[in-house]
Amino acid sequence: MKWNIPNILTSFRIVLIPVFLVVFYLPMEDARFWAAFIFWLAAITDALDGYIARRFNQFTKFGEFLDPVADKAMVVAALVVIVEDYNSAFITIPALTMICRELIVSALREWMAQSGNRAKVAVSNLGKWKTVAQMIALIGLLWNANIYIYWLSMFLFYASFVLTVWSMWEYLRGARGELTRK
C-alpha cells in the first residue's frame, strides 16, 4: 500500500468517526459545536483528498477502495446521531432513505464494476450536489445553534433528500440494461 496525502486524509477521516461520536455525547456545553466542527473537518478532508489525488495524479487502489467507505461511514454516523437526537419522523424517514440509497448505490457500483460497466454508474454532478447539500445540512443539524441555522439546515436536509432519491433513480436508470439482462 502506498501512503500518500489523499490516503492519509482518508484514513484520518475514518479516525475522526469515533472522535466525532464521543464528542457529540460529551456532557459539555459546546459538545454539539465541536461535533459539528469535526464533521466539517471530515467534509473538508473529503474534498481535499479528491482534489489532491486528481491534481497530482495520486490515485491508488487503496484510496479508490477506502475513500467512499470513509465518506459513507462518516455520513451514516452523523445521520444516526441526528435520528437519535431529534427523535422525529421528519428526520428519521429522510435519514434512513439516505442510508438505504448509499447501500443500494454502493452495491450497484460494485455489481456494475464486476460486469465491466462501472462508467454507467460513475459519480454524477447530481450526486455531488446531493453530497454538498447533505454535508452542510448535517453540520447545521449537528450544531443546532439557533432557529435560523436549524431551518436552513432542514431546508438543505430536505433538498439533499430529494437529490438522494433523484440521483439513486438516475443511477438505477443508467444500470437498467444490466439490471434487466437475463
Side-chain angles (χ1 to χ4, degrees), residues 64-81:
E64 196 176 305
F65 157 74
L66 196 59
D67 182 64
V69 172
D71 300 344
K72 286 163 186 36
M74 184 56 123
V75 168
V76 167
L79 287 168
V80 168
V81 164

Side-chain angles (χ1 to χ4, degrees), residues 97 99-109 168 172:
T97 302
I99 292 170
C100 290
R101 180 262 190 209
E102 294 304 334
L103 293 170
I104 291 165
V105 171
S106 293
L108 180 65
R109 284 190 178 128
M168 181 177 65
L172 289 169

Side-chain angles (χ1 to χ4, degrees), residues 8-128:
I8 291 168
L9 290 172
T10 298
S11 299
F12 176 65
R13 210 161 47 254
I14 290 174
V15 170
L16 284 179
I17 296 169
V19 174
F20 159 75
L21 292 169
V22 167
V23 167
F24 185 85
Y25 289 107
L26 283 175
M28 59 185 223
E29 186 176 330
D30 293 334
R32 292 182 77 99
F33 168 79
W34 289 110
F37 177 81
I38 291 167
F39 187 83
W40 170 84
L41 183 61
I44 292 300
T45 65
D46 178 26
L48 190 58
D49 73 26
Y51 171 77
I52 292 170
R54 284 185 301 277
R55 175 76 169 87
F56 298 103
N57 197 27
Q58 293 189 354
F59 297 100
T60 64
K61 292 287 184 191
F62 177 71
E64 196 176 305
F65 157 74
L66 196 59
D67 182 64
V69 172
D71 300 344
K72 286 163 186 36
M74 184 56 123
V75 168
V76 167
L79 287 168
V80 168
V81 164
I82 66 163
V83 163
E84 184 269 335
D85 187 53
Y86 285 87
N87 192 24
S88 163
F90 295 108
I91 296 285
T92 301
I93 292 168
L96 291 179
T97 302
M98 290 176 195
I99 292 170
C100 290
R101 180 262 190 209
E102 294 304 334
L103 293 170
I104 291 165
V105 171
S106 293
L108 180 65
R109 284 190 178 128
E110 179 64 27
W111 186 67
M112 292 294 283
Q114 288 177 2
S115 67
N117 291 303
R118 177 137 172 101
K120 290 183 180 179
V121 288
V123 176
S124 68
N125 284 335
L126 190 58
K128 289 178 183 179

